[in-house]
């Protein structure tokens, strides 16, 4: 990279001001000074292995090195600036999150060998100049469906660590569905032991203990990723119904389900035990979740009459508010009474909004955009993609990238942000996750972070290609054609 504007940073920063003739080269005598202990430690942990330099954390401004300063509270809480001079790189932000994002940008300005786990030859050079950057949307998410196929904490941690490099700040965990219940609930222990014992195809399934879930929350928070847990209801509930006969209208528990159909299950709207179940589950999940949201699903409730659906949603949404959290639901929740701050997650086509979305907009919901023909990561890239589905169409990287979230909804709609779901009916291994997620998730990350005026497919495609060596160092088995 000769000058700063020749960078390959993803997401592309809002402002890049090169200073030709100036460059910074990290030397073995460099030190790090950080007003934020967590940001400083993170930067040191990322730089020491590939450089082999000691990179001590110091209290005074280093003669040569990197400074992370809590200063300059920008217009946006995640805003940061990054200055590159001959002897010093200085990152400033009003928040730890902003410093973390400045560090991600700095790491992407360094050679891709910075992602290697072993000492690499330098030089570790960054061209001079200044970057000022801030996100377009506050909610920049990915969803992992751990119900259809269960993935243990190590896989989820790796998923989080990688997406945080692209300034994604939400992981939505789809914790329950017909095929599996994945989080232990003390008041209803059979949910995990019976409801979590299988998965699509009949494999052993699994679940997170309360402690494992808390560990995931902590791991994600250290990377400024908020966990949004989803307990899908009233549909997509066969796993819960198979664990507790009393939850079923006829008092008979259905067998565990290992297929891939949807829409056949429903909680019993007219049984009081249903509402005790929902209240106690939401209470335990909320107590384990520091983030502001609980997602209650609400999609494909084809075995619940519209009247029952409204009755159910009008009774359970206040339980989320009572637990101190804000409701997120798939956009079918739109017609139901609105709880304060509610977010409707839109998963229809980007070309044709539907009545439920219009109802959500009319109620004043904030909209989280997940148009299935654009960002459903379980869609095949093309007909040759060995895994994935195609009901929403094929999604190549350009399809995932080349749209404007502001154009989907009527003017004035309140867009909370963008989220890319990865449903796992056909996703069985970590390599399957990698193949469908990379490179399309970085495309969505740029869509959610960068100004529309800075986004241009040929430029993005070139920057993306420069990330392949980074993915190779990280062991990401990415999809190679785009
Ligand atoms: N739609 C279902 C998902 C999953 C998906 C697969 C939503 C909100 C199809 N609901 O997307 O459970 O089966 O692409």
């Amino acid at each position: 990279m000769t000058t700063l504007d020749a960078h390959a940073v993803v997401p592309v920063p809002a402002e890049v001001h090169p200073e030709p003739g100036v460059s910074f080269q990290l030397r073995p005598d460099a030190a790090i000074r950080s007003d934020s202990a967590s940001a400083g430690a993170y930067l040191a942990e990322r730089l020491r292995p590939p450089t082999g330099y000691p990179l001590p954390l110091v209290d005074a401004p280093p003669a040569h090195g990197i400074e992370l300063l809590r200063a300059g509270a920008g217009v946006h809480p995640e805003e940061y600036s990054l200055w590159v001079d001959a002897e010093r790189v200085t990152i400033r932000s009003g928040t730890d999150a902003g410093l973390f994002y400045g560090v991600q940008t700095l790491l992407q300005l360094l050679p891709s060998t910075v992602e290697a786990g072993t000492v690499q030859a330098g030089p570790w050079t960054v061209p001079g100049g200044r970057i000022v950057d801030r996100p377009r949307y506050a909610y920049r998410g990915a969803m992992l469906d751990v119900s259809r196929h269960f993935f243990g904490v190590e896989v989820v941690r790796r998923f989080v660590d990688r997406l945080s490099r692209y300034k994604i700040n939400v992981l939505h965990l789809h914790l329950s569905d017909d095929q599996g219940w994945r989080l232990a609930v003390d008041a209803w222990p059979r949910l995990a032991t019976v409801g979590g014992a299988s998965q699509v195809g009949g494999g052993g399934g699994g679940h997170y203990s309360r402690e494992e879930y808390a560990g995931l929350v902590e791991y994600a928070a250290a990377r400024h990723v908020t966990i949004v847990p989803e307990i899908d209801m009233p549909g997509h509930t066969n796993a819960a119904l198979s664990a507790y006969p009393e939850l079923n209208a006829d008092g008979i528990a259905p067998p565990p389900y290992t297929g891939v159909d949807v829409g056949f299950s429903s909680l019993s709207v007219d049984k009081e035990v249903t509402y005790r179940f929902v209240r106690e589950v939401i209470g335990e999940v909320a107590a384990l979740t520091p983030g502001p949201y609980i997602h209650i699903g609400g999609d494909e409730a084809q075995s619940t009459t519209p009247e029952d659906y409204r009755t159910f949603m009008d009774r359970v949404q206040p339980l989320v508010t009572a637990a101190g959290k804000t409701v997120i639901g798939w956009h079918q929740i739109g017609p139901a009474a609105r709880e304060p701050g509610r977010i409707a997650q839109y998963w229809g086509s980007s070309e044709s909004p539907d009545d439920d979305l219009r109802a959500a907009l009319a109620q004043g919901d904030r909209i989280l955009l997940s148009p299935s023909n654009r960002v459903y990561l379980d869609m095949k890239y093309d007909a040759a993609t060995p895994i994935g589905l195609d009901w929403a169409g094929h999604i190549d990287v350009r399809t995932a990238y080349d749209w404007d979230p502001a154009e989907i909804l009527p003017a004035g709609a309140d867009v909370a942000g963008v989220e890319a779901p990865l449903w796992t009916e056909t996703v069985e291994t970590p390599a399957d996750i990698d193949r469908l997620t990379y490179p399309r998730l970085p495309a969505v990350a740029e869509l959610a972070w960068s100004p529309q005026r800075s986004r241009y497919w040929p430029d993005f495609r070139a920057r993306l290609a420069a990330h392949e060596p980074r993915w190779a160092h990280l062991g990401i088995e990415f999809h190679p054609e785009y």
Side-chain angles (χ1 to χ4, degrees):
M1 185 180 1
T2 49
T3 56
L4 196 57
D5 51 1
H7 68 81
V9 177
V10 173
V12 62
E15 301 172 37
V16 179
H17 309 283
E19 189 167 351
V22 174
S23 76
F24 170 83
Q25 183 167 328
L26 192 73
R27 295 195 307 264
D29 61 312
I32 297 171
R33 179 170 89 96
S34 179
D35 289 344
S36 156
S38 59
Y42 178 84
L43 175 60
E45 282 159 23
R46 290 286 304 277
L47 282 177
R48 286 172 180 156
T51 61
Y53 300 168
L55 294 172
L57 291 163
V58 298
D59 295 330
H64 169 72
I66 302 168
E67 286 199 287
L68 310 180
L69 306 180
R70 287 293 296 271
V75 291
H76 191 285
E78 296 168 289
E79 177 169 329
Y80 69 88
S81 65
L82 185 152
W83 297 48
V84 182
D85 298 326
E87 286 302 318
R88 195 172 299 170
V89 173
T90 308
I91 297 171
R92 290 182 177 84
S93 177
T95 64
D96 280 3
L99 291 178
F100 181 79
Y101 296 138
V103 163
Q104 297 302 344
T105 296
L106 172 58
L107 290 162
Q108 290 191 18
L109 291 171
L110 286 162
S112 58
T113 42
V114 78
E115 289 293 3
T118 57
V119 176
Q120 305 292 308
W124 304 101
T125 308
V126 181
R130 178 163 55 93
I131 285 176
V132 181
D133 200 8
R134 67 192 71 83
R136 180 180 184 184
Y137 294 112
Y139 188 125
R140 306 178 302 278
M143 186 207 84
L144 185 58
D145 166 10
V146 294
S147 176
R148 277 48 183 270
H149 281 92
F150 179 65
F151 294 95
V153 290
E154 283 320 308
V155 173
V156 179
R157 285 172 182 238
R158 198 159 53 231
F159 190 73
V160 166
D161 185 49
R162 291 164 171 178
L163 59 77
S164 68
R165 284 166 164 74
Y166 292 98
K167 304 188 176 79
I168 296 271
N169 66 354
V170 176
L171 172 65
H172 167 183
L173 277 177
H174 186 73
L175 290 167
S176 69
D177 211 298
D178 291 319
Q179 295 89 344
W181 184 284
R182 303 301 181 205
L183 176 61
V185 176
D186 283 351
W188 298 78
R190 291 166 56 85
L191 290 173
T193 56
V194 174
S198 65
Q199 60 185 15
V200 167
H207 68 271
Y208 308 118
S209 68
R210 293 161 54 89
E211 295 71 28
E212 284 173 321
Y213 177 81
L216 285 177
V217 166
E218 188 181 346
Y219 182 88
R223 290 156 178 79
H224 299 282
V225 175
T226 298
I227 298 287
V228 173
E230 179 185 353
I231 304 295
D232 203 344
M233 59 181 85
H236 289 274
T237 43
N238 189 78
L241 296 169
S242 74
Y244 286 97
E246 61 268 40
L247 288 177
N248 295 266
D250 58 4
I252 298 169
Y257 180 66
T258 59
V260 293
D261 291 341
V262 298
F264 59 86
S265 58
S266 176
L267 292 176
S268 302
V269 168
D270 53 6
K271 294 184 81 167
E272 277 313 304
V273 64
T274 295
Y275 301 96
R276 178 167 63 82
F277 166 76
V278 171
R279 186 178 71 254
E280 291 173 354
V281 167
I282 285 176
E284 289 197 31
V285 173
L288 288 170
T289 302
Y293 301 113
I294 298 275
H295 198 306
I296 57 171
D299 62 310
E300 297 179 320
Q302 294 154 11
S303 299
T304 316
T305 64
E307 297 73 26
D308 280 355
Y309 181 89
R310 289 283 300 273
T311 301
F312 177 81
M313 281 299 175
D314 291 354
R315 280 194 67 174
V316 302
Q317 289 182 93
L319 299 176
V320 175
T321 307
K325 302 298 178 184
T326 297
V327 171
I328 301 185
W330 299 104
H331 74 280
Q332 284 70 35
I333 203 170
R338 178 176 178 270
E339 279 296 299
R342 184 172 77 178
I343 290 181
Q345 182 168 8
Y346 179 63
W347 62 286
S349 160
S350 61
E351 314 308 321
S352 54
D354 62 21
D355 290 343
D356 287 337
L357 175 62
R358 277 186 277 274
L361 290 166
Q363 296 238 56
D365 282 339
R366 301 171 65 213
I367 307 299
L368 175 60
L369 286 171
S370 297
S372 42
N373 62 322
R374 292 286 184 174
V375 300
Y376 261 38
L377 300 179
D378 63 320
M379 292 302 117
K380 293 174 180 293
Y381 289 84
D382 54 34
T385 310
I387 54 173
L389 303 175
D390 59 11
W391 63 268
H394 291 153
I395 299 179
D396 60 16
V397 181
R398 181 168 191 169
T399 300
Y401 180 81
D402 231 357
W403 60 285
D404 180 0
E407 297 297 311
I408 304 284
L409 302 174
D414 182 349
V415 177
V418 184
E419 180 183 289
L422 177 59
W423 300 103
T424 59
E425 281 93 338
T426 66
V427 178
E428 299 186 23
T429 67
D432 291 346
I433 292 177
D434 290 355
R435 178 71 182 262
L436 294 173
T437 305
Y438 291 86
R440 287 180 298 188
L441 187 58
V444 177
E446 178 153 314
L447 185 84
W449 175 281
S450 304
Q452 188 63 22
R453 61 173 160 73
S454 308
R455 299 199 309 109
Y456 178 52
W457 165 249
D459 169 60
F460 173 72
R461 190 183 179 287
R463 282 183 282 117
L464 205 56
H467 282 238
E468 290 192 17
R470 294 171 185 268
W471 302 335
H473 282 302
L474 288 169
I476 297 176
E477 301 190 51
F478 59 92
H479 177 78
E481 292 94 34
Y482 51 86

